[in-house]
Amino acid sequence: MSEKVLLVDDEKEFLDIMSERMQERGMTVKTADSADQAMAMLEKESFDAIVMDFKMPGMDGIQALKNIKTKKPELQIILLTGYATVEKTVEAMKIGATDLLEKPADLEKLAAKIKQAKAEKMLVVEKQTEDKIKDILKRFGG
Amino acid sequence: MSPNNDPCPETDRLADMADVKFFGALAAAMTHDMKNVLAIINENAGLLGDLSVKAQKKATPIDPLKASTISEKIRKNVTRADTMMKRFNRFSHSMDHAEEFVDMEETVMLVASLSERIIRRHGGTLTVIPPPVPCRIHARRFVVLHLIFRALDILCCNHADPASDIQKQMTVRFGSELTRPEICFTRDPGFMIKRDVLFDSPKDRALLAHVKMKVKMMDAGAGFCLCTARPEHG
C-alpha cells in the first residue's frame, strides 16, 4: 500500500511541484500551506508521515511539532527546512521529529525516509494497540 | 580596519552601535527565502528528469507544453532569486558610504522586501503609500535601514493581545512637506501603540540621534512618525 503523506509548506509553488513528484512515485499526498491548516487536516484524516517546513507564518515548526506529537504521538514528522541551527535540530529531535532534511532535498532520499517513517508508525500503532489490550485485560482481571 | 578598507573609525563605531541582530535577522530571512527558491528550481529540474526517464521507458515523447511550463517556472524562479540577491547585495553595501542622500520610499521598500518573511511570520501585511513629494534625507543609509526595520518590528510585535491571530494590516505613509521629511507607521484600526516601547533602548536612541530624527506619537496612539527637521538638499 502506498504511503499517505501530508506536505506542509508556506511556498505554494513548492507544494505543487513536490506533491506532483511524490505522487509520481506512488505516494498519496495532501498539502497544507500553514501549520494551522495541517492541524485542522489531522483532525479529520490519518497520515503515515508529515513532511513539514520548520519556519512558517503563524504557528512555527517547533510549536506545530509539539501540538501534533501531543495529539497524535504515533505520527512521524520529517522536517524539511532551508536552514536549521544545531539547537533547533536538537530541540526538534527531542520533541519527537523523525528526521530533518535540508532544502533543496533529494527526493529519493526523502521518499526512503517516508517509507521508513511509515514502518515506524506501524510499529508505534502496534505497540499502542498491544498496550490497550493489556490495559483492558488488566482491568478485567485477565 | 573595516572590511571595505575604510580607515574611518566612524564605520566601526556605527557597526557596533547598530544591533548586529538586525543584520542577522534580515540575513536569516533572506537566506531562508533563497533556499525555498532553490528548492523550487531543484524540484522543477527533478520533474524534467522524471519526465525524460518516463519518456525513455515508455518510448513516448515529452509533452512539449509541459516541458515549456517547467522551463518557464525555472526561469521565473531564477529571476526571483536574482532579485533577492540584488536586494541583499544593496543592503550589504549600505555601510560603504558615509552620509549620502537616502530616498526614504526606496529604503522602506528595500526593508519591506527583505523583511517580508519576518512580517508574514508575525501575521502582518504591509502597504507602502508612495510619498506625495520626494522624501529624502542626508544620512548614513545603514542607520536609516535599521531605523525603518525597528519601526516595522515595533508595529509587528507591539500589540495588546499577543495571542491574537488577526492579520495585522500595517501602513507606511510619508509626510507632504518637502523640507520636513517624515515617515509614519500605522497599524489596523483599534491598534494602540504604547509610548514606552517606542525606540526606548540606548541603541535606538543612538540611531535616532545619528540621523537627527525624532519620534512623534500619533493621536490616540494610532501609530508613530519618524520626523526630521533637516531640510532636503538634493
Side-chain angles (χ1 to χ4, degrees):
Chain A
M1 216 164 77
S2 77
E3 296 82 22
K4 193 174 172 192
V5 183
L6 177 59
L7 187 60
V8 193
D9 200 293
D10 61 322
E11 275 280 344
K12 173 91 173 64
E13 204 175 338
F14 179 74
L15 282 181
D16 290 345
I17 190 144
M18 197 67 173
S19 58
E20 184 179 347
R21 293 194 71 204
M22 286 162 85
Q23 278 163 12
E24 280 290 327
R25 278 156 179 77
M27 292 177 235
T28 304
V29 186
K30 292 273 175 89
T31 60
D33 63 9
S34 69
D36 296 290
Q37 195 192 349
M39 293 298 296
M41 287 171 80
L42 287 170
E43 294 290 330
K44 296 176 199 151
E45 268 182 89
S46 153
F47 294 90
D48 295 316
I50 303 180
V51 177
M52 185 169 72
D53 191 3
F54 219 5
K55 285 181 179 171
M56 286 179 291
M59 195 192 303
D60 79 349
I62 290 286
Q63 192 54 50
L65 190 60
K66 278 182 189 163
N67 291 358
I68 295 167
K69 277 290 172 186
T70 308
K71 285 188 179 169
K72 296 182 186 280
E74 75 282 2
L75 255 177
Q76 304 296 305
I77 304 165
I78 299 165
L79 293 168
L80 189 60
T81 186
Y83 287 106
T85 58
V86 175
E87 292 87 349
K88 283 276 178 197
T89 307
V90 171
E91 193 184 353
M93 291 308 199
K94 272 186 189 166
I95 297 167
T98 311
D99 223 317
L100 192 139
L101 281 178
E102 202 171 286
K103 281 182 186 172
D106 174 24
L107 187 54
E108 305 314 325
K109 209 181 206 176
L110 178 63
K113 287 194 186 292
I114 291 169
K115 264 197 171 64
Q116 203 182 326
K118 185 183 179 181
E120 302 247 354
K121 187 203 161 188
M122 303 288 270
L123 284 176
V124 177
V125 171
E126 261 176 44
K127 175 84 173 55
Q128 283 174 342
T129 315
E130 216 176 276
D131 289 347
K132 266 185 199 163
I133 293 171
K134 273 185 194 163
D135 189 48
I136 291 168
L137 288 174
K138 210 169 160 183
R139 271 195 278 154
F140 290 95
Chain B
M1 195 179 281
S2 56
N4 61 350
N5 298 326
D6 179 359
C8 176
E10 171 75 350
T11 304
D12 295 332
R13 198 181 65 78
L14 269 168
D16 288 343
M17 185 178 85
D19 198 338
V20 178
K21 277 184 184 169
F22 159 58
F23 194 92
L26 286 189
M30 185 270 171
T31 49
H32 188 97
D33 279 341
M34 184 57 86
K35 279 279 206 168
N36 274 335
V37 176
L38 288 175
I40 294 168
I41 294 171
N42 184 57
E43 294 316 317
N44 275 294
L47 184 59
L48 215 47
D50 291 350
L51 290 175
S52 76
V53 168
K54 212 157 112 183
Q56 276 170 18
K57 275 186 189 164
K58 294 186 179 171
T60 49
I62 296 175
D63 175 2
L65 187 65
K66 179 97 182 162
S68 126
T69 307
I70 296 169
S71 126
E72 179 55 27
K73 280 181 182 170
I74 293 175
R75 197 199 55 77
K76 196 186 90 192
N77 278 288
V78 169
T79 307
R80 193 176 153 200
D82 183 50
T83 306
M84 283 178 183
M85 291 305 274
K86 275 181 185 150
R87 281 178 190 149
F88 195 65
N89 184 271
R90 189 157 168 66
F91 168 66
S92 304
H93 281 293
S94 62
M95 277 290 263
D96 289 359
H97 305 287
E99 293 199 347
E100 58 185 318
F101 282 105
V102 181
D103 183 291
M104 300 300 251
E105 185 194 7
E106 191 192 304
T107 312
V108 168
M109 294 308 286
L110 180 62
V111 179
S113 55
L114 287 170
S115 52
E116 195 191 334
R117 169 166 286 274
I118 301 170
I119 295 170
R120 264 195 297 136
R121 213 168 56 221
H122 285 285
T125 51
L126 180 69
T127 307
V128 181
I129 299 171
V133 290
C135 186
R136 304 201 299 166
I137 63 165
H138 197 252
R140 192 174 271 263
R141 190 178 295 276
F142 185 77
V143 179
V144 180
L145 283 163
H146 193 170
L147 270 174
I148 293 167
F149 179 79
R150 281 289 298 126
L152 295 178
D153 187 43
I154 290 166
L155 272 197
C156 275
C157 302
N158 183 246
H159 45 93
D161 178 13
S164 166
D165 57 358
I166 299 165
Q167 191 81 9
K168 296 160 194 155
Q169 306 285 344
M170 304 186 291
T171 309
V172 178
R173 283 188 181 80
F174 301 86
S176 55
E177 280 184 58
L178 191 66
T179 53
R180 290 176 65 94
E182 184 178 270
I183 324 175
C184 299
F185 300 82
T186 51
R187 228 180 77 184
D188 28 53
F191 171 72
M192 294 273 288
I193 195 99
K194 295 172 197 147
R195 181 69 184 91
D196 57 349
V197 298
L198 280 183
F199 302 92
D200 59 336
S201 72
K203 274 182 183 175
D204 282 345
R205 286 197 293 270
L207 289 169
L208 283 168
H210 194 270
V211 291
K212 295 187 175 59
M213 277 187 145
K214 291 182 296 187
V215 181
K216 189 174 80 184
M217 284 286 284
M218 283 179 173
D219 288 344
F224 59 92
C225 300
L226 293 176
C227 326
T228 172
R230 276 185 174 193
E232 194 259 4
H233 300 287

